[in-house]
Amino acid sequence: MNSRFPRLPSRRLLACALASCLAVAAPAVMAQSTSATIRGQVTVDSAPASDAQITATNTATGLSRKVQAVNGTYNVGGLPPGTYRIDAVAGGQTTTKTVTLAVGQTATLNLSAGGVAETGPVADATTVDTVTVTGVALAEVKTSEIATYVSGKQIDMLPQNSRNFLSFVDLAPGMEFQQGADGSTRIRSGAGTPNGINVYIDGVGQKDYVLRGGISGQDSTSGNPFPQSAIGEYKIITQNYKAEYDQLNSAAIVATTRSGTNNFEGSFFWDRTSKDWRTRTVFEERLDTKAETGAEQYGATFGGPILRDTAHFFLAYEAKEFDRARSLTLGEGYTIDRLPAALQEEAGTGLFIAPFKEDLYFAKIDWLLGEDHYFEFTTKYRDESELTNLGNGPNLPSYATNKLNEETRVDLRYQFTHGAWLNDAHITYEDASFNPSPLNNGVAYNLINFNGSDVNARLITRSGAGSDFQEKGQKGWGFQDDLTYTGLTGHTMKMGVKFKDVDVSAIERQPYNPQFTYDVNGSLVQPIHVRFGSALPGVGDGSAESSNKQYGIYFQDDWEVNDHLILNLGLRYDYEKSPSYTNFVTPADVVDALRASTAINAPNSGVNINDYISTGNNRDSFKDAWQPRVGFSYDLNADQRHVIYGGAGRAYDRNLFDWLQLEVTKATFPATNVYFRRGDGTCPLATEPCVDWNPAFFDPATLAALASPDGGGREVFLLDNDLKVPYSDQFSLGMRNTVGEWLTDATISYVEGHDGFAWLLGNRRDDGTFFAPGFQWGSPFNQGLDGFSNLILGTNGLKTRTSSLYLKAEKPYTAESGWGVTIAYTFLHAEEMRESPEVFALDYPTLNQYGWNDAEVPDHRLVATGLYDGPWGVTLSGKITLSSKIPRYFVNCFDIDRPNNCFIDQYKPDGDFGYKQVDLAAQKDFDTGSGFKMWVRGDILNVFDWANYDGYDDFPGNFGSPANPNFGEPNSQVAFPTRTFKLSLGFNF
C-alpha cells in the first residue's frame, strides 16, 4: 500500500493554532508590486511648467519617487500598485492629488496650478496657494492592450468556491475559467489552449515547461497556484500585450502580491461546506443516496513595518481540505450487481470519496534605501496531495492514483531609479514537481467484454494496482533585467534581457504495475492478456532529463506622438536550447527497422523517415522566434473619454517537455503485451501468439522473463528533426468610452494559431497506404515496424482561428458610491483542427486531413458581477455566468452519404445553455473597536441548482451494430457544484 497520502490531524486544532500564533487582520491596503506608471502634463496658468518637480509617495508604505518634468511632461515609473500622493511643485506653487494606481497600469494624470480647472475623468483641480487632496481611481484608457482589471475588493467579496484568485479571469471577455468534475481547473482564452497562458506574479512568469496548463502546478489539479490572500490585484491582457511578455501565445495575467505597510495588520479566515449543505447530484438522485462530502479552507496573513517608511514584511498561509464525491460509471451498460462478488464488495453503492489537501505559504520583505534603491525578497511554497483516478468512470477505489504536487519559487528583486532611468532586475529560483503514483502496488484486474479483436476496448471496470507512475518537474534559476528610459520627450523606452538555466525531467513508467485482463464472457480467475512495463537493461529506465537554456531580449517604445495619438512599438526575440532534443540519437535497431520497412518507404506512404532519424548533430534549436508587436490608441478629444485603439502582433510559446521526453522514455521503458491460452486451448487473438497460463506470472519477477531483452515489440516515438514552436498572430480594433462613472469597451479580434504540436501515426499498410482499400477510416494501428510496435511521429502543424466580438461595461466600485458592476459579453467563432488539448492525432495520416472543426468553446458567453454596500455593515455580491452549448466530437459511422466509413464529426447537446450558474454572497462586518473587526459570510453557489454536465455519451455506434439510443445524453458527472451553502468566519485588525 502506498502510504504517502496523509490522513490529516484535526482541522479545527490547526485553525486555532494559527489564530493564536498570528494575531491577524483583514487586508486593507493592496499589494506593493513595482509595476505601475503615472504620467502627464504639468501646467502653470495653462502653460507647460518646465521646472516642475513631481513626487509620488505611497500613502501606506512611504515609498517615494521623484522626477523632474521635461517641457512640462513627467513620467514616474516602477510604482507598486496602491494609493499615492502626487505632489507637483512648479512656479512656487504646490499641487497635490491622491490617486490609486492599479497593477501594470500606465495612467495619465494632468496637473495644473494657477486656478485653471481640469477636464476629463479626473477633474479635481487645485488652486493657487491651496492644497486639495482627493482620492481618485485612475482609469487606463489610452492603451492598445485589451485588458481587464480585477481589484482586491472583487477578489475578496465576489462569491466563489475554491479561493483560486484566477477564478475571476472570466470577468474579461474571451476568457474562461474551466473546472472539471474532478475539481481540476484551467484557463482558456478563445480557441487557444490552456498551455498558451502565462501568469506573471510581481513581474516573474510562472510558466510550466513540462506539463500542460500554462503555469506550474495547473495540470489536472484541484489546487490553487498561489494563496489568494497574498494577491493584491491583477490584470488580464487577452491581446496586444507588449514585448516584455514572453513564453505565451494566448492571454497574459499580471498579478501583484501584497506587502506589509507602516501599520501591523493581519487576518484569519475559515470557511466550510458539508454534505448537508448541498443538494444531491443527478446521479445521487438516481441512486437515492448522498456521498459524505465536505470542504474546509482556512488561512491567515500578517504584515507590518520592520522600519517605518523603509522596510516591511508580509506573511500568508492558506490550506484546502476537500472530500469530493465520485460516482462509479461501469462500461458496457453493466450494473454493480452483475460484477464478480469480490468486485461488488469493493464497489459498494458506487459512491466514493476522493480527498484533497493543499498547503500554501508566502513570505515577502521589501526594503527601500533612500529614493533610488528598492529591494524585494519573496518566496512561495506549495504542497498538495490528492486521490484521483477513482470513480467518475469505471475505476474502483483500489485502482486510485495518489497525486503529489510540490513547488517552491524564490524571487530577489532590485530596482534602481535615477532621474529618467529605471532598472528592474530579478534573480529567481524555481523547483516544481508532479508525482502521480498508484495508491496500491501489485497487479491490476481489468474486466472487459471481449470483442475478439481488441483487449483494450469495451472496458467494464478496473481494480487492484494502478498503472500510472510519473515524476516530472523543473528546477533551476534565472535572471531578468528591464531598463526603462523616459528622458526623451514623448517616449517611454523599455528594453530587457532574460536568461534561465532550468533542468527539466520526466520519469514515465506505463504501466507501472502489471495490468491483467479478464473476459467477462469467460474465466474470471484466468486472464487472457497482460500488459506490463520494464526497464531496458543497459539502455534506460523510463527517465529523461534536459538542462535547458532560455534566452530572451526585447525593445519597446511607447511613443506619445501628441495629445491624441500613442504608438506602442515593440520587438521580441526568444531562443531555447534543449539538449535532450538536439543531442538525441535514434537507436541503431530502430534505424535499421525504418530503413528496411517497405511499407513506410513506399512512395505513397507520405513519410520521409530521414526527417525523423537523428544522428545527434542534425537537429537545431528553433531560431525564428521574432515577435513584432505594434499597437496604437487615439484619444478623439484628448480628454480620455473616447479612445480608438488596436494592434497586431505575434507571440511564441514553447513545446512542452512532456511531449519531447516520450522519444526517450518510450525507448527505455517499453511495455510488453502477452496473451494467454484459454481453457479450450485457443489464443484470444488468432493473429497474435499466446503462452500457457501459469499463476506464477502474478509474480513480477517471473513475469519480467517474458519481456524482450532488447526491447523488441516496443512502441517507437520519434520527433521531427526540424521541430518548430507554437505561435499566434493577433489582430484587433476597438473603442473605449467613459460615460459618467461607467467605462465601456467594444473590440473585434482575430487570432490565428500556428504550429501546434501533435503526434501522428507513422504505421502504414504493406502497400504504403494508411487506410484499407475503399475506406477513409481505420488507421493501421498495431501494424508498425517489424520487430517493434507502433511508430509515433511528433511534429508541428496544428492550427486554430478565432474571430471575436468583445463587449464590456463596468461601473468601478468606489467606497463613496458603495456599489460596482461589471458586464462582459463574448461572441466567438472559433475553429480548430484537432480537439484541444489532445496532441495524439492517430486517425488520419496528416494533420490537414482533419480539416477545420468548431472549437470546443461557447459561441456566446455572458459574465456579470455586482457589489453593493448594504445597510448594517452588510456587503452583498453576486455573479451570473451564462454560455451557449459547445460542440462535442464523436466518431460518426452512420452517415448515409459515407457508407461503410467513419469520420470525425460534431454535434451540440440539446438545450439552450451549456453552462449557467448564479452565485450570491453576503458578508456582515462587526467593528469591536480598537481596530479589531470580526466578520461572518455566507455564499450560496448555484442558487437555482442548475445541472451543468461535464460528460455526454459520445458513442453513436459502430459498423454492424445498432445506433446507440443514448447518444448525446448526459452520461457522467455534474461538472460544477449543485446548490451549495458555504459559511465563512474571520477577523481582522
Side-chain angles (χ1 to χ4, degrees), residues 142-163:
K142 298 175 69 172
T143 176
S144 59
E145 293 177 339
I146 304 178
T148 298
Y149 291 88
V150 179
S151 69
K153 181 75 171 182
Q154 291 170 312
I155 294 173
D156 289 341
M157 290 300 176
L158 289 177
Q160 64 158 319
N161 188 31
S162 65
R163 290 190 61 87

Side-chain angles (χ1 to χ4, degrees), residues 446-460:
N446 296 340
L447 185 64
I448 68 169
N449 186 5
F450 186 45
N451 61 7
S453 62
D454 187 357
V455 294
N456 298 309
R458 306 184 72 174
L459 175 69
I460 298 172

Side-chain angles (χ1 to χ4, degrees), residues 523 526 676-682:
S523 172
Q526 178 178 318
F676 300 115
R677 187 170 285 107
R678 292 182 291 200
D680 60 3
T682 62

Side-chain angles (χ1 to χ4, degrees), residues 870-898:
W872 309 296
V874 176
T875 299
L876 304 175
S877 61
K879 181 180 181 182
I880 180 171
T881 305
L882 302 172
S883 66
S884 56
K885 293 283 186 178
I886 65 172
R888 298 187 63 86
Y889 286 76
F890 74 103
V891 177
N892 188 344
C893 299
F894 291 94
D895 193 307
I896 60 175
D897 295 327
R898 303 190 191 186

Side-chain angles (χ1 to χ4, degrees), residues 337-571:
D337 60 334
R338 295 176 62 188
L339 295 176
L343 299 185
Q344 286 188 42
E345 182 178 356
E346 183 179 357
T349 64
L351 292 175
F352 314 129
I353 296 298
F356 169 84
K357 176 69 169 71
E358 179 183 55
D359 293 293
L360 284 166
Y361 303 86
F362 174 77
K364 180 176 183 179
I365 295 174
D366 64 79
W367 196 288
L368 178 66
L369 296 178
E371 293 185 356
D372 296 337
H373 307 277
Y374 177 77
F375 295 87
E376 280 184 358
F377 177 80
T378 61
T379 182
K380 181 198 79 171
Y381 176 68
R382 173 183 181 178
D383 183 28
E384 66 182 37
S385 54
E386 182 176 11
L387 209 58
T388 65
N389 211 28
L390 76 162
N392 288 349
N395 298 336
L396 293 172
S398 61
Y399 199 80
T401 297
N402 182 25
K403 185 164 59 181
L404 306 176
N405 238 340
E406 190 172 4
E407 181 183 13
T408 299
R409 285 187 180 265
V410 178
D411 176 21
L412 175 61
R413 183 179 201 173
Y414 168 56
Q415 191 178 84
F416 172 73
T417 59
H418 184 73
W421 295 94
L422 166 65
N423 193 76
D424 194 6
H426 295 261
I427 296 176
T428 63
Y429 173 79
E430 60 196 79
D431 184 358
S433 63
F434 172 82
N435 177 211
S437 60
L439 181 66
N440 296 290
N441 289 320
V443 299
Y445 187 105
N446 296 340
L447 185 64
I448 68 169
N449 186 5
F450 186 45
N451 61 7
S453 62
D454 187 357
V455 294
N456 298 309
R458 306 184 72 174
L459 175 69
I460 298 172
T461 191
R462 296 188 184 99
S463 179
S467 66
D468 186 17
F469 180 88
Q470 303 175 57
E471 285 187 4
K472 298 176 179 178
Q474 60 195 56
K475 183 177 183 179
W477 69 279
F479 170 77
Q480 65 186 67
D481 189 76
D482 300 280
L483 178 65
T484 304
Y485 178 67
T486 58
L488 184 61
T489 302
H491 293 266
T492 298
M493 292 180 286
K494 191 172 184 178
M495 59 211 79
V497 295
K498 180 177 180 178
F499 170 76
K500 294 193 79 170
D501 185 350
V502 179
D503 295 329
V504 291
S505 61
I507 299 176
E508 185 164 318
R509 296 171 181 167
Q510 305 281 3
Y512 187 70
N513 291 300
Q515 305 291 298
F516 287 91
T517 302
Y518 298 78
D519 180 10
V520 74
N521 304 302
S523 172
L524 299 179
V525 296
Q526 178 178 318
I528 62 171
H529 169 264
V530 66
R531 184 170 185 266
F532 64 96
S534 56
L536 197 57
V539 178
D541 61 353
S543 63
E545 60 183 17
S546 184
S547 182
N548 285 16
K549 306 292 190 297
Q550 301 173 0
Y551 306 86
I553 187 170
Y554 75 90
F555 177 81
Q556 178 79 36
D557 183 14
D558 296 333
W559 177 19
E560 192 169 0
V561 181
N562 52 46
D563 290 344
H564 298 272
L565 178 64
I566 296 177
L567 297 178
N568 306 116
L569 309 174
L571 179 64

